[in-house]
């Protein structure tokens, strides 16, 4: 999977793959000559040769484990030598006040882990140019043509992967290039993969946090050349097509992938072709390409976990050396200990508990791009945010009952009550904020006041607070009204504890939350990591 090392230049990236290339459906190319561009302390080494061999074996798998969802353990000395090859960049270069809140620990003190996997189409070297094609784009701003959010549950029993189609239209926040200081103004309704060219991978992270409200802990990136070298080092990844495929047309469209029906182990350039193929899979859209990437990732995990040749220390060493030369990671991940800890976390998840999904989407009005499908995408992001397993095999995680700061006395808590009952179908309930403010006053929250501003639209009742020192106060308000802790949210949009009375509480003095459906939306197209699958080939591209 082209997770990607970035090659930045001063260009903004807007000229490649913007929204002006009419006539293409989801996953359309961006002006590339017709080519398919889916784009502690030092420990003394043991003197026993057998122990030394085991230690090297464990360590060599460290970086590899990061890529393959945890296949082995770690060691220190060898990594110290390779550390210089590991590229590092800033995690989030958006506005710090807009960052998503960190998830709370569960009862055992564990927290979820979110890693953004990015695949770049950078043409910043001769090798990347040769692999990517489109000579006129050499050393221009890269694009994030593969974006996958990897979520590891707090208890490390399951993992969810959410892919975003590369041509998704969304809002990109203001980002500042950490190297040059260049500021990129916020953009609305623009193509998602442009984020990488607006200062680096930290802007892609900021864009995901803005869209999903999910706190991202780390990112990992690999470029074209990295994909090829990793596929070679692994020894090939089995992929399957239901009929012969040749992704090529007389007009120059296609990745060049040519396979016979059935299962083939792809490596090197052929692996890159698989990951970039749009013309030839299903309906020739970016959505089909995302499915192919999911199948490749699942197959790679199964291959590496079952491959007996990985007991060979020389083979593992080659894999580790190849990986670090291909990777760019955030600075928080660029240390031996962090990589070691991450590999241990990832290796705990069994293949059968890995869930691959695609962000629910629908076509934009012009039919050339896609946008998040409002209710389904929001639901999928909520499940990840609340650490609910997408495979449906876990019970809902309970929120922590211990806020960072205890609540003040009820009569000392200032609460602003907002009328959020406005809907298109029913309009707003007049005086609703005043009524609920009076209800709070009667319960001892004498500083509760109704906001007299016009009603807003809020589907469900929520209590927001701006900072950790007010979380306890917000929870006290919610508890008094029977509102669940999952509806208590940190927000930079409020200056104090704010209760928004939503459309789900239009009347009465008792709040009753609707039972939430925690099943993964069908539109997310869930694929289990242990399932072997075949890509359907468009008959127009068979031979």
């Amino acid at each position: 999977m082209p997770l990607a090392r970035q090659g930045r230049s001063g260009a903004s990236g807007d000229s490649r793959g913007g929204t002006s290339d009419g006539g293409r459906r989801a996953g359309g190319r961006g002006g590339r000559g017709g080519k398919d561009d889916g784009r502690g302390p030092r420990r003394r080494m043991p003197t026993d040769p057998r122990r030394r061999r085991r230690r090297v074996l464990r360590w060599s798998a460290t970086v590899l484990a990061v890529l393959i969802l945890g296949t082995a353990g770690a060691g220190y000395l060898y990594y110290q030598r390779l550390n210089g090859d590991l590229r590092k960049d800033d995690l989030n270069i958006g506005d710090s006040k807009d960052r998503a809140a960190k998830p709370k620990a569960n009862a055992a003190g564990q927290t979820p882990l979110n890693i953004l996997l990015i695949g770049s189409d950078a043409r910043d070297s001769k090798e990347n140019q040769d692999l990517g094609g489109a000579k006129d784009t050499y050393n221009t701003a890269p694009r994030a043509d593969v974006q996958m959010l990897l979520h590891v549950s707090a208890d490390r029993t399951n993992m969810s992967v959410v892919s975003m189609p590369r041509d998704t239209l969304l809002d990109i926040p203001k980002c500042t290039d950490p190297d040059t200081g260049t500021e990129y103004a916020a953009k609305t309704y623009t193509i998602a993969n442009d984020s990488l060219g607006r200062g680096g991978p930290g802007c892609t992270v900021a864009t995901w946090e803005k869209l999903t409200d999910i706190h991202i802990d780390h990112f990992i990136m690999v470029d074209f050349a990295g994909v090829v070298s990793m596929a070679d080092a692994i020894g090939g990844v089995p992929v399957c097509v239901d009929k012969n495929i040749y992704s090529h047309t007389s007009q120059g469209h296609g990745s060049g992938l040519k396979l016979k029906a059935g299962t083939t182990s792809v490596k090197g350039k052929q692996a890159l072709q698989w990951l970039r193929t749009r013309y030839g899979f299903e309906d020739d859209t970016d959505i089909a390409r995302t499915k192919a990437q999911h199948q490749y990732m699942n197959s790679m995990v199964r291959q590496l976990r079952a491959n007996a040749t990985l007991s060979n220390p020389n083979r593992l060493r080659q894999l580790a050396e190849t990986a670090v030369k291909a990777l760019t990671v955030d600075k928080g991940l660029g240390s031996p200990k962090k990589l070691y800890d991450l590999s241990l976390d990832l290796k705990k998840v069994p293949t059968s508990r890995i869930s691959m999904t695609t962000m629910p989407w629908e076509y934009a009005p012009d039919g050339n791009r896609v946008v998040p499908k409002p209710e389904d995408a929001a639901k999928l992001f909520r499940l990840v945010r609340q650490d609910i397993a997408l495979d449906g095999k876990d019970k809902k995680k309970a929120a922590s009952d211990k806020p960072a700061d205890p609540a003040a006395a009820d009569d000392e808590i200032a609460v602003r009550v907002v009328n959020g009952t406005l809907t298109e179908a029913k309009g707003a309930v007049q005086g609703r904020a005043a009524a609920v403010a009076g209800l709070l006053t009667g319960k001892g929250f004498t500083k509760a006041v109704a906001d007299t501003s016009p009603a807003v639209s809020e589907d469900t009742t929520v209590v927001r607070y701006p900072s950790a020192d007010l979380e306890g106060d917000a929870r006290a308000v919610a508890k008094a009204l029977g509102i669940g802790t999952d509806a208590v949210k940190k927000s930079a949009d409020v200056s104090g504890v704010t209760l928004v009375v939503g459309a789900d509480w239009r009347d009465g003095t008792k709040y009753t939350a609707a039972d939430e459906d925690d099943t993964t939306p069908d539109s997310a197209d869930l694929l289990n990591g242990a399932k072997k699958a075949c890509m359907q080939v468009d008959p127009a591209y068979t031979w």
Side-chain angles (χ1 to χ4, degrees):
M1 174 184 66
L3 301 171
R5 183 176 72 247
Q6 176 201 10
R8 294 206 296 269
S9 71
S12 69
D14 293 349
S15 63
R16 297 194 296 132
T19 60
S20 61
D21 54 348
R24 292 196 306 276
R25 293 175 69 78
R29 306 167 0 265
R32 291 251 173 99
K35 296 294 184 184
D36 192 30
D37 64 356
R39 319 212 259 184
R42 181 191 299 270
R43 294 177 290 179
R44 181 174 300 170
M45 292 297 288
T47 56
D48 186 333
R50 291 172 298 176
R51 294 180 62 195
R52 182 182 297 111
R53 182 178 182 276
R54 288 196 298 270
R55 185 173 296 277
V56 171
L57 178 62
R58 289 197 305 271
W59 188 85
S60 298
T62 303
V63 177
L64 175 62
V66 175
L67 291 178
I68 64 174
L69 313 183
T71 303
Y76 180 75
L77 188 60
Y78 190 43
Y79 172 76
Q80 188 179 41
R81 181 172 75 80
L82 295 180
N83 188 38
D85 289 330
L86 187 63
R87 293 173 176 84
K88 308 173 187 68
D89 215 323
D90 286 34
L91 174 62
N92 188 314
I93 59 175
D95 194 330
S96 59
K97 69 179 179 62
D98 293 332
R99 290 218 59 185
K102 292 183 178 181
K104 296 186 178 299
N106 61 17
Q110 304 164 306
T111 55
L113 181 65
N114 295 305
I115 304 170
L116 188 63
L117 310 180
I118 305 173
S120 163
D121 70 350
R123 268 76 166 179
D124 57 348
S125 68
K126 185 179 185 304
E127 185 176 8
N128 278 331
Q129 184 68 64
D130 291 343
L131 291 168
K135 295 180 180 179
D136 59 318
T137 63
Y138 179 73
N139 216 27
T140 54
R143 296 182 300 187
D145 274 359
V146 175
Q147 301 179 40
M148 295 184 179
L149 179 64
L150 182 109
H151 171 86
V152 189
S153 66
D155 59 11
R156 305 305 188 253
T157 62
N158 67 89
M159 182 183 303
S160 303
V161 179
V162 180
S163 291
M164 179 190 294
R166 71 169 191 168
D167 282 354
T168 300
L169 296 175
L170 42 65
D171 295 341
I172 298 179
K174 180 183 76 173
C175 294
T176 303
D177 190 314
D179 297 329
T180 66
T182 302
E183 288 191 1
Y184 296 86
K187 296 184 68 175
T188 58
Y189 204 63
T190 193
I191 191 169
N193 65 357
D194 275 357
S195 60
L196 185 58
R198 298 169 62 77
C203 192
T204 304
V205 170
T207 300
W208 269 80
E209 289 202 0
K210 179 178 179 63
L211 175 68
T212 67
D213 198 29
I214 296 170
H215 182 87
I216 295 175
D217 302 286
H218 302 292
F219 67 76
I220 300 173
M221 303 187 297
V222 178
D223 58 9
F224 289 152
V227 172
V228 170
S229 61
M230 281 300 300
D232 284 340
I234 291 170
V237 175
V239 295
C240 179
V241 288
D242 67 347
K243 58 178 67 75
N244 296 350
I245 181 175
Y246 185 28
S247 178
H248 176 75
T249 70
S250 57
Q251 291 78 34
H253 295 308
S255 67
L257 178 71
K258 190 172 186 179
L259 296 175
K260 291 184 178 181
T263 300
T264 303
S265 182
V266 296
K267 53 197 295 191
K269 186 174 181 178
Q270 198 173 46
L272 180 61
Q273 289 174 332
W274 174 275
L275 293 164
R276 301 182 69 205
T277 293
R278 174 164 67 97
Y279 294 101
F281 285 153
E282 297 188 353
D283 56 355
D284 311 319
T285 66
D286 189 41
I287 308 304
R289 171 163 42 202
T290 298
K291 291 183 181 179
Q293 292 167 352
H294 287 170
Q295 290 186 19
Y296 182 94
M297 191 170 178
N298 282 341
S299 182
M300 182 175 67
V301 174
R302 292 193 300 266
Q303 178 79 352
L304 283 160
R305 290 186 172 181
N307 196 339
T309 63
L310 292 181
S311 62
N312 185 322
N314 291 327
R315 180 69 174 276
L316 282 173
R317 216 166 21 243
Q318 178 189 0
L319 286 168
E321 290 170 355
T322 300
V324 295
K325 291 177 181 178
L327 286 175
T328 297
V329 299
D330 65 279
K331 296 173 183 177
L333 198 56
S335 73
K337 185 179 186 304
K338 290 295 179 67
L339 285 172
Y340 170 75
D341 290 344
L342 179 59
S343 67
L344 291 182
D345 277 343
L346 296 174
K347 67 177 290 190
K348 296 174 184 176
V349 182
T351 306
S352 61
R353 294 301 309 279
I354 297 173
S355 299
M356 296 282 182
T357 64
T358 300
M359 178 196 75
W361 56 274
E362 61 188 21
Y363 282 110
D366 64 3
N368 296 325
R369 305 291 188 189
V370 301
V371 295
K373 190 173 185 178
E375 293 185 5
D376 286 6
K379 180 181 180 181
L380 183 64
F381 297 149
R382 175 183 66 79
L383 295 177
V384 174
R385 218 169 28 242
Q386 295 180 0
D387 197 21
I388 298 172
L390 300 186
D391 60 9
K393 296 179 180 178
D394 281 356
K395 294 181 179 180
K396 185 175 179 179
K397 312 297 195 289
S400 170
D401 290 328
K402 295 183 179 180
D405 194 72
D410 292 351
D411 60 359
E412 294 179 0
I413 299 176
V415 187
R416 182 169 67 100
V417 184
V418 176
N419 186 348
T421 61
L422 178 64
T423 67
E424 292 184 3
K426 298 181 180 180
V429 178
Q430 298 302 315
R432 189 59 183 154
V436 176
L439 181 62
L440 274 173
T441 299
K443 292 179 176 292
F445 293 84
T446 55
K447 290 187 177 182
V449 295
D451 190 311
T452 58
S453 301
V456 298
S457 179
E458 193 82 42
D459 291 337
T460 58
T461 299
V462 62
V463 182
R464 298 190 173 101
Y465 62 96
S467 53
D469 60 311
L470 292 178
E471 181 185 3
D473 294 356
R475 288 194 175 205
V477 171
K479 183 177 181 180
L481 296 173
I483 299 170
T485 54
D486 58 336
V488 179
K489 303 179 183 298
K490 184 178 179 181
S491 172
D493 296 330
V494 297
S495 57
V497 176
T498 302
L499 166 64
V500 184
V501 184
D504 61 342
W505 195 16
R506 294 175 62 87
D507 53 42
T509 59
K510 182 178 180 181
Y511 176 73
T512 303
D515 291 334
E516 286 191 302
D517 176 12
D518 290 340
T519 58
T520 301
D522 290 340
S523 56
D525 197 22
L526 187 147
L527 175 67
N528 184 273
K531 181 179 179 181
K532 296 181 181 180
C534 267
M535 285 301 297
Q536 295 180 357
V537 175
D538 179 349
Y541 290 87
T542 193
W543 56 278

